[in-house]
Amino acid sequence: MHATDPSPPPLPSHRPLLDPAAEYGRWITERPLARISLWGDTHPWLVTRHADARTVLSDPRFSSENVRPGFPGLQPTPPPRTPGQLFAMDPPDHTRLRRMLIPEFTFRRIEQLRPAIRNITGDLLDGLVKQQQPADLVEHFTLPLPLLVICELLGVPYADRDFIHRQAAAFATVSAGPEAMRAGWAALFGYLQELLSAKSREPGDDLMSKLATERVATGEATPAEAAGLLVQLLIAGHETTASMLSLGVVALLRHPGQLAALRADEDLVPGAVEELLRYLSVVHIGLRRIATEDVEVGGVTIRAGEGVVVALQAANRDPAVFADPDTLDLTRDAGQHLAFGHGLHHCLGQSLARAELQIALPMLVNRLPGLRLTGAAAEGYAFEGRAIHGVRELPVAW
């Protein structure tokens, strides 16, 4: 019924700091499955309801291959096919490559990393309290923490952190244009190819060494595929968690009752992290798919070759699933949230992200009971044109 909308509205690229764009609150009831405008005459379907999002993300008739004609990509120009980009692959290649990484991201493996994450968090807090106030929480805590963890896990030198973050940020900045995004990916790809080659000669006890000696050396993966996997892990392994940590701090400080409850009851922490993931939904450009055959979703037929954008931030505020969804409630059961996606492309590193958030947020707010935002409103520091919502800096005092 919406397929013939004469002027589909644009996909919102703006948003307040802690909430989705206001349009989503209306669309989830008024036009939950309808056309939007991306660029040129591209008008994919926008999915906002939780149930419809789960359907699209779990149905194999929706492809993730972003080189297919009509795919609703981030840019008008289709990207070159790059080895190892799991987010842009379908089975069987997706299955083959993802299976290589699963042993390193099991719940048991991540639980073994918790002491190391606590040590890293404690060291960063020791450094933070030595800074002159106000200090930038992003620079001294929320960015280096996940970057240190993922570098240690992968076997990437943390000394190269400035280069790594600069290139990762370039790839994630949609507004910079396709060439800048590709250049960021290409720079990290070349860097990790060299590291992978070195690890094949002198392996260590890290994921990159295992890929080099157990997968590439045996012919299960090409060096390019392995490097592509590592680029994705390196970017996703710190960008999203850094944003969640920063925005999680802002959300807690703006809800002092919730913060007090978190400080008073450590048993609240796991559920509180799930609620923050639901409430903030930092991936705000939507998960993109294209139908490979006609599929009915929510009473609407999506034709083969038509694109779909799944708005996670809308699905995570669906009142049919979450009562009073615009309220931050750390005691609610938010276990059905889709912040990590759903289906075969659900986030491989979600256990790692949960562990970092469950450890870092309580340690921060308990170590610094007087923690507060300073200076200009935090909105002034929000990223513009980024695929991952967050802040560039976050001045705080304590």
Side-chain angles (χ1 to χ4, degrees):
M1 59 180 176
H2 297 291
T4 57
D5 285 354
S7 297
L11 180 70
S13 59
H14 60 280
R15 61 177 285 181
L17 195 63
L18 300 182
D19 298 300
E23 292 92 326
Y24 290 119
R26 300 192 304 272
W27 291 349
I28 202 166
T29 54
E30 296 174 4
R31 52 193 314 273
L33 194 74
R35 298 282 192 175
I36 53 165
S37 296
L38 281 187
W39 23 258
D41 59 354
T42 302
H43 303 304
W45 297 94
L46 179 70
V47 172
T48 54
R49 285 186 300 212
H50 188 277
D52 295 341
R54 284 174 59 93
T55 295
V56 170
L57 297 177
S58 61
D59 194 317
R61 294 172 292 179
F62 289 102
S63 171
S64 297
E65 292 187 342
N66 58 5
V67 294
R68 288 177 179 264
F71 189 90
L74 300 178
Q75 304 286 350
T77 305
R81 186 181 289 272
T82 306
Q85 283 189 331
L86 284 179
F87 62 86
M89 285 183 176
D90 294 336
D93 282 343
H94 175 273
T95 307
R96 173 177 62 87
L97 293 175
R98 184 181 172 103
R99 189 178 292 133
M100 297 177 187
L101 302 175
I102 288 175
E104 298 301 318
F105 290 94
T106 61
F107 177 79
R108 182 178 179 181
R109 173 74 176 104
I110 299 306
E111 287 299 294
Q112 294 171 348
L113 291 176
R114 282 181 178 262
I117 297 172
R118 288 192 187 93
N119 289 337
I120 290 171
T121 303
D123 290 344
L124 287 172
L125 288 174
D126 289 343
L128 175 64
V129 297
K130 295 176 183 177
Q131 302 300 317
Q132 182 176 351
Q133 300 184 49
D136 180 9
L137 196 67
V138 172
E139 178 184 355
H140 297 289
F141 187 72
T142 64
L143 178 59
L145 193 156
L147 192 49
L148 268 164
V149 171
I150 197 64
C151 283
E152 184 170 309
L153 180 65
L154 298 184
V156 173
Y158 185 66
D160 296 337
R161 60 190 177 276
D162 290 340
F163 166 80
I164 292 167
H165 181 61
R166 187 168 62 252
Q167 303 307 328
F171 175 71
T173 304
V174 180
S175 60
E179 294 306 318
M181 294 178 70
R182 290 173 191 161
W185 180 279
L188 286 176
F189 186 79
Y191 166 77
L192 287 165
Q193 277 187 309
E194 293 182 7
L195 278 180
L196 192 67
S197 178
K199 294 282 187 180
S200 68
R201 297 188 297 272
E202 297 183 25
D205 183 20
D206 52 65
L207 191 153
M208 193 183 317
S209 295
K210 291 178 182 178
L211 280 178
T213 59
E214 299 175 11
R215 306 298 184 178
V216 175
T218 60
E220 293 181 60
T222 68
E225 286 175 332
L229 290 173
L230 291 164
V231 174
Q232 186 171 337
L233 291 173
L234 191 55
I235 294 174
H238 82 275
E239 283 277 332
T240 51
T241 306
S243 290
M244 270 301 306
L245 284 169
S246 300
L247 293 178
V249 169
V250 176
L252 291 171
L253 292 177
R254 290 190 176 178
H255 297 82
Q258 299 290 303
L259 175 56
L262 184 67
R263 283 176 166 147
D265 184 3
E266 64 179 17
D267 291 338
L268 194 62
V269 170
V273 165
E274 300 308 307
E275 170 67 350
L276 286 168
L277 287 162
R278 178 201 73 84
Y279 183 75
L280 296 170
S281 299
V282 297
V283 179
H284 78 118
I285 54 166
L287 300 184
R288 314 298 178 97
R289 301 287 188 269
I290 187 168
T292 58
E293 56 185 272
D294 294 357
V295 189
E296 183 174 310
V297 178
V300 175
T301 299
I302 299 176
R303 303 294 182 188
E306 293 182 340
V308 180
V309 178
V310 179
L312 298 181
Q313 65 271 57
N316 281 337
R317 300 270 185 120
D318 187 342
V321 180
F322 305 103
D324 197 11
D326 295 327
T327 296
L328 179 68
D329 179 4
L330 301 187
T331 65
R332 87 160 77 229
D333 180 1
Q336 295 187 69
H337 73 75
L338 301 176
F340 292 117
H342 182 65
L344 64 90
H345 281 278
H346 72 277
C347 177
L348 184 67
Q350 59 183 287
S351 292
L352 178 60
R354 285 188 169 102
E356 291 172 328
L357 294 166
Q358 290 169 6
I359 291 169
L361 284 173
M363 285 184 66
L364 172 67
V365 299
N366 289 324
R367 174 80 179 269
L368 304 177
L371 185 67
R372 63 191 183 277
L373 304 176
T374 66
E379 275 81 1
Y381 299 110
F383 288 137
E384 294 293 336
R386 291 281 292 273
I388 306 300
H389 184 55
V391 290
R392 301 185 310 276
E393 53 186 301
L394 195 63
V396 298
W398 53 90

